[in-house]
Amino acid sequence: MTSLEFTSQVQRISLTLRPAALNLTRDADDAKDLVQETLLKALLNKDKFKAGTNLKAWLYTIMRNTFINNYNKITKRSSNIDSTEYFQYFNTDQNYITHNGATSDFVVRDINEAIASLGTDYRTPFMMYYIGYKYLEIAEKLQIPIGTVKNRIHIARKDLKAALQVYAPVGASAADASDAVED
């Protein structure tokens, strides 16, 4: 396909892009900008278009991806939170902070006991995963299939959740606790 043929087909199809752009942006000016940016990208990348494929679909894909990228840029820019006002009221004086060492000692002891109560087949992969090994690395080190590693870690988590249910938030069911840990 020659450049002239490509340009004429793009111009012909460009009329059908505006309603779709308007549907994406919900604003007439933004829709015009999106169509214009789409056409610019299409003309700059005409060498990437393969003759015989659906040009209209190719243009719609460019338009959709352009819209998504622009949307992500806008939301990323606007999601910065200015916390300076919050930190102005944050009291860092150590005289006002109390720590209940006894409670944390009980929790740590209970966690360690729960981990120690796991069988070696479950405790070893779980602890390796906990300290940062990937599933594949654990499988290679222990010379077991990766599916077995995943299963053992899953069972270890389930057993630990059951053993430490007393520390679950008040009103949370066992199912809620298991969902929270697996995320």
Side-chain angles (χ1 to χ4, degrees):
M1 176 182 304
T2 66
S3 291
L4 187 59
E5 291 172 337
F6 180 81
T7 305
S8 67
Q9 285 187 10
V10 167
Q11 281 180 333
R12 187 176 41 82
I13 295 172
S14 68
L15 301 173
T16 63
L17 292 176
R18 191 152 187 267
L22 193 56
N23 191 27
L24 287 171
T25 62
R26 309 266 188 237
D27 182 68
D29 292 332
D30 290 341
K32 287 178 187 176
D33 291 342
L34 181 59
V35 169
Q36 188 174 15
E37 193 172 349
T38 301
L39 295 175
L40 177 65
K41 286 182 179 183
L43 293 173
L44 291 174
N45 294 297
K46 67 183 168 202
D47 56 315
K48 294 179 183 173
F49 177 73
K50 294 183 177 93
T53 58
N54 189 342
L55 180 61
K56 189 174 183 179
W58 188 68
L59 290 171
Y60 276 96
T61 302
I62 292 172
M63 185 171 62
R64 183 178 42 87
N65 290 342
T66 302
F67 172 75
I68 291 169
N69 290 339
N70 289 341
Y71 179 80
N72 288 338
K73 284 179 192 174
I74 290 168
T75 56
K76 190 178 280 188
R77 252 189 261 139
S78 65
S79 67
N80 293 338
I81 299 170
D82 184 19
S83 58
T84 54
E85 190 175 315
Y86 170 76
F87 286 122
Q88 177 178 350
Y89 301 108
F90 188 69
N91 191 350
T92 58
D93 189 353
Q94 292 296 318
N95 295 329
Y96 294 106
I97 299 173
T98 60
H99 298 282
N100 187 347
T103 303
S104 64
D105 288 345
F106 285 126
V107 172
V108 169
R109 188 187 65 204
D110 288 350
I111 291 171
N112 287 332
E113 287 175 3
I115 291 172
S117 72
L118 294 172
T120 306
D121 288 345
Y122 299 102
R123 183 176 53 245
T124 303
F126 175 79
M127 290 308 295
M128 289 176 75
Y129 182 76
Y130 175 75
I131 61 174
Y133 284 92
K134 305 287 184 224
Y135 289 128
L136 188 59
E137 294 171 329
I138 297 169
E140 289 172 357
K141 286 224 186 248
L142 299 178
Q143 297 178 346
I144 56 176
I146 194 167
T148 304
V149 169
K150 290 178 179 182
N151 187 41
R152 289 181 182 176
I153 292 170
H154 172 75
I155 291 171
R157 282 179 169 175
K158 195 168 107 179
D159 290 350
L160 289 173
K161 283 182 261 182
L164 300 170
Q165 184 63 35
V166 68
Y167 296 108
V170 177
S173 66
D176 293 340
S178 68
D179 290 342
V181 174
E182 289 179 11
D183 291 340

